[in-house]
Amino acid sequence: MSPALPWIIPLGCVLLLTKTAECFILPNSSHLESILSKYQDGEAHSRSKRAILFSDRQEILMLHNKLRGQVYPVASNMEYMSWDEELERTAHAWAQQCIWDHGPSDLIRSIGQNLAVHWGRYRSPAFHVQSWYDEVKDYTFPYPHECNPWCPDRCAGAMCTHYTQIVWATTNRIGCAVNVCKQMNVWGEIWENAVYLVCNYSPKGNWIGEAPYKTGRPCSQCPPSYGGSCHNNLCHKAHRYEDPILAETDETNEVEIPQVAEQKPVQFHLPENKPSRASKPKKTTPESYMTQVITCETKMRDKCRGSTCNRYLCPAGCLYSKGKIFGTFYYESSSSICRAAIHYGILDNKGGLVDITRKGRTPAFVKSTRNGVESFRKSKPSNAFMVSKVTTQTLDCYTTVAELCHFKKPANHCPRIYCPAHCKDEPSYWAPVFGTNVYADSSSICKAAVHAGVIADERGGFVDVMPVEKKKIYVGSLKNGVQSDSLKNPSDGNAFRIFAVKQ
């Protein structure tokens, strides 16, 4: 099939390419591995290279299923699409070749494939998926009475096969990859830093003379293997594996400026399977730490004035201390932080980490006895706070605050994060960093941590992050071997600060 005509777009260019079906023979796993081996560079890596950002993978998959479920005329046999690791690996192998054509030739006979490439301003993979689907405007669906026996080709535009592959009813697996090609020959022109998207599909679609799907009541003609299960107009197996979506809370926290007088670094032991530190870390000023050590009697108003609050470490033995608390769930500001955490149920007498969020003025506070702690009532209006549990999450080098815990008032909190070693040299496409000291929330958390100097690249380690409201300008700089980029007047997103955890 001839390639599609280019779409000329301001500040960049986007091209799309698709492949029609020629036969239907799925290779087995060993055959796919032999194909992949021809495209591997043979170098040993300490950890596997991601073919596509996890967030992009989720967006591509969710958008495909959304679009497949809303076709018109309505489909009666449209199958739910899931992510396939084997297809992702083959897409990655082909994307690495930086060839603007379908391939490899041995594999393309048995899979479907959509391609797109662009340069210039950033465009998410979902932008290309939507562009493929938008070919529907030039496509007229062939109804059964028109197919005698073969269905006519009803495409009024340059190409419709991107669209038909996306909505081919029996195509139920997809795997994609993105690669930045330093130089790529696109129909005789050399594009520098071209962003190349490859999506492979199985079973392949675009069979000549066939309609992409059957029309009728949703799920009324699903294959028997689906057991009659239907979800969002798609044939869907109830036990089908679905990729876990990164937790994105609606609320995250911002904290006060640390108070140096009473601040102590928090001891947090690495898991046994994490690499131990080989050398003494650089001395860090108190301002580098978000978490503060407090006593059982420390009141919220003693540590938090005029803003939302920090993360605190409570000692053991607070269950029987003398610190008073007022209220239930919402606690008055003169309450003991640690005893409120026990009363609420997020800590026990062993102590631990607790996050606090200010809730503003509350008219009254109700007494109760919970978890062995008695709280008192207060009938006068006063400032209140809530406590929340601190979780720990291990990330890769690519996760951003926007994916993990973006800023949105009223605030909640981010987990304590463990970053792997060797994020410094990840390319900016996969792990961008925008700003200095305060970073855009589209930045890689762990690479920003190296830039800020809160962890050493060769070891990785724990960090605390504090989502904050966005800045108008983020200034780039070269620090600790990481070059961050500048960003002016971002249209969306917020920001974050990052803090060390004493290990």
Side-chain angles (χ1 to χ4, degrees), residues 211-322:
Y213 57 86
K214 298 177 182 178
T215 60
R217 181 172 54 84
C219 303
S220 61
Q221 299 187 67
C222 292
S225 60
Y226 285 91
S229 180
C230 186
H231 180 68
N232 292 336
N233 297 334
L234 302 175
C235 306
H236 183 274
K237 293 181 181 178
H239 63 275
R240 178 185 294 274
Y241 167 78
E242 297 183 44
D243 288 321
I245 299 175
L246 289 178
E248 291 191 7
T249 58
D250 288 336
E251 303 172 352
T252 58
N253 70 300
E254 77 180 302
V255 302
E256 64 177 342
I257 298 174
Q259 300 175 14
V260 176
E262 296 185 26
Q263 193 173 38
K264 298 178 183 178
V266 174
Q267 299 292 335
F268 200 98
H269 299 288
L270 286 169
E272 292 182 2
N273 61 338
K274 299 296 181 182
S276 59
R277 59 186 182 188
S279 59
K280 186 177 180 180
K282 295 179 181 180
K283 184 177 180 181
T284 311
T285 60
E287 286 76 14
S288 296
Y289 297 95
M290 189 175 89
T291 305
Q292 301 178 48
V293 176
I294 57 177
T295 69
C296 295
E297 286 76 31
T298 301
K299 302 172 183 178
M300 191 279 288
R301 69 183 182 189
D302 295 336
K303 301 294 295 184
C304 181
R305 295 170 183 163
S307 71
T308 50
C309 302
N310 272 339
R311 178 168 291 171
Y312 299 107
L313 179 64
C314 291
C318 292
L319 178 61
Y320 305 108
S321 74
K322 297 180 179 180

Side-chain angles (χ1 to χ4, degrees), residues 5-7 13-17 100 115-118 128 186-187 191:
L5 293 176
W7 292 11
C13 187
V14 177
L15 295 181
L16 308 175
L17 201 64
W100 179 237
L115 306 177
V117 64
H118 77 270
H128 294 295
V186 181
W187 289 333
W191 288 13

Side-chain angles (χ1 to χ4, degrees), residues 122 163 465:
Y122 171 76
Y163 163 73
V465 297

Side-chain angles (χ1 to χ4, degrees), residues 31 54 56 73 76 89 149 166 192 223 240 295 303 345 376 442:
H31 179 54
F54 187 83
D56 287 341
S76 63
R89 285 193 288 270
I166 288 177
E192 295 186 355
R240 178 185 294 274
T295 69
K303 301 294 295 184
F376 299 90
S442 55

Side-chain angles (χ1 to χ4, degrees), residues 60-61 64 81-84 87 173-176 199-201:
I60 288 172
L61 183 59
H64 270 78
M81 189 174 282
S82 61
W83 194 266
D84 188 281
L87 291 173
R173 297 191 301 278
I174 183 176
C176 304
C199 283
N200 287 345
Y201 299 84

Side-chain angles (χ1 to χ4, degrees), residues 444-458:
S444 157
I445 295 173
C446 295
K447 193 173 177 182
V450 177
H451 181 268
V454 299
I455 58 172
D457 183 60
E458 64 272 14

Side-chain angles (χ1 to χ4, degrees), residues 6 24 26 46 66 199 204 208 214 283 318 397 410 486 488:
F24 179 63
L26 280 176
S46 60
K66 176 185 176 182
C199 283
K204 74 181 301 177
I208 297 174
K214 298 177 182 178
K283 184 177 180 181
C318 292
C397 295
S486 296
K488 293 184 179 180

